[in-house]
Amino acid sequence: MDTRNGNGRAPAARSERGRHEFRDVMTFDAPPDTSPATANGLIDFVFAEIWTRPGLSRRDRRFVTLPCVADADAEQPLIEHVYAALNSGDLSIVEMRETVLHFAVYAGWPKASRFNGIVDAQWARIHRERGLDVPAPAPLLPLTTAADPEQRLAGGVAAFKEINRLDFAPDRDNPFQGAGILNFVFGEMWVRPGLGMKERRLITVACVAFQDAPTPIMSHVYAALESREVSFTEMDELALHFAAYCGWPKASHLNQVVAEQKARVLGEWRAATDSTAREH
């Protein structure tokens, strides 16, 4: 009898690969639990099949995983993934703290407060395990964004248009839009230097995908693709990775949005190419 799975691997080999990948990703050994959820799901599928796929790097997958587990209200998985991301060296402490801030904007400050506390605790744990003192954090000041309110709003408008790939910005006199979106979200947070634009795209798409807000998920998937900061292949992989950490129903919706926005972006690119060709 052929005991191979659908990918051509014997179950024992698949589990062995999953446990090896778990150790590489998490930086500690896989649990001995043999329940179906752990052995067949977590080890044989999530780590043997998803984390090993080539469409996203391991580092990129961290920026999808962390917001999902931070939103899930499951403290131990969040502890483990924060520890793993820092202990592996995939994320620096600056990048991790910027991830917390970005998460706070798109998933809420209460959950981000717990996330932030776990980051501090795991950063101290790693140094304790290595027999090192915890280094002082980089000073907050001076901020890199404008202090003058008008300049700050103008910067927020420009960043909003560029990041969202739009030729308009929200009305600044609405407090939610002006004080929140233009002044802080795009006037400061998106342009902070601690994370690259691609990393911020990955965090944002994961967050808007679990928020069930139709316009943000559409707009951020579109902008990530249209900017070419996340490729079509990477976005497809993001949807699969998201499914493992946030569930298949929400991932099904994300996958549908990805397909729609890929078609939209391709159509716009073709139209731009045709227009350029006609001009010449």
Side-chain angles (χ1 to χ4, degrees):
M1 182 176 71
D2 188 350
T3 59
R4 293 175 298 174
N5 61 29
N7 292 307
R9 293 194 197 99
R14 188 179 190 220
S15 294
E16 182 180 356
R17 178 177 181 177
R19 290 186 174 278
H20 180 271
E21 187 68 15
F22 184 101
R23 182 70 179 78
D24 278 354
V25 171
M26 302 305 294
T27 73
F28 55 85
D29 290 336
D33 187 357
T34 58
S35 67
T38 298
N40 302 116
L42 182 67
I43 302 301
D44 290 3
F45 179 63
V46 175
F47 284 93
E49 301 296 338
I50 291 183
W51 277 90
T52 58
R53 289 175 59 87
L56 276 177
S57 70
R58 187 178 77 178
R59 170 181 156 82
D60 287 343
R61 291 180 186 278
R62 303 281 193 195
F63 292 106
V64 181
T65 306
L66 285 165
C68 289
V69 294
D71 183 65
D73 299 321
E75 187 160 309
Q76 191 58 36
L78 181 55
I79 289 170
E80 292 173 355
H81 279 285
V82 167
Y83 175 84
L86 292 171
N87 195 43
S88 66
D90 286 346
L91 272 68
S92 70
I93 187 60
V94 171
E95 291 171 325
M96 181 64 80
R97 286 179 171 146
E98 287 294 326
T99 297
V100 173
L101 175 61
H102 202 102
F103 174 85
V105 167
Y106 285 98
W109 298 90
K111 292 192 178 197
S113 177
R114 178 177 60 183
F115 190 0
N116 189 62
I118 287 173
V119 167
D120 288 346
Q122 296 312 300
W123 186 234
R125 171 190 170 190
I126 289 166
H127 283 78
R128 188 168 60 249
E129 291 174 348
R130 298 176 183 181
L132 301 171
D133 293 331
V134 179
L140 175 65
L141 299 176
L143 294 174
T144 58
T145 46
D148 177 77
E150 286 295 334
Q151 291 180 1
R152 190 179 176 89
L153 281 170
V157 168
F160 180 93
K161 291 178 179 179
E162 174 62 24
I163 291 164
N164 289 288
R165 318 301 289 177
L166 297 171
D167 58 5
F168 63 88
D171 175 11
R172 58 178 277 177
D173 293 323
N174 177 297
F176 171 80
Q177 296 169 174
I181 292 176
L182 298 178
N183 175 67
F184 178 67
V185 177
F186 291 93
E188 180 172 343
M189 191 271 294
W190 268 94
V191 296
R192 286 175 58 83
L195 272 181
M197 191 58 66
K198 179 181 181 180
E199 290 80 6
R200 293 190 184 278
R201 298 281 193 195
L202 297 173
I203 296 165
T204 304
V205 170
C207 287
V208 295
F210 60 60
Q211 292 288 5
D212 301 320
T215 299
I217 188 173
M218 177 274 294
S219 64
H220 281 290
V221 168
Y222 167 80
L225 294 172
E226 202 280 335
S227 67
R228 291 181 167 87
E229 284 157 349
V230 179
S231 72
F232 284 20
T233 297
E234 288 171 329
M235 189 64 80
D236 287 339
E237 284 296 320
L238 189 160
L240 175 60
H241 197 96
F242 176 85
Y245 284 94
C246 201
W248 298 93
K250 287 179 185 285
S252 177
H253 178 223
L254 173 58
N255 193 57
Q256 177 184 345
V257 172
V258 169
E260 292 168 352
Q261 298 311 307
K262 284 163 67 176
R264 174 186 172 190
V265 168
L266 284 172
E268 291 177 354
W269 288 349
R270 279 194 295 267
T273 299
D274 293 344
S275 176
T276 301
R278 285 194 298 270
E279 291 173 359
H280 294 83

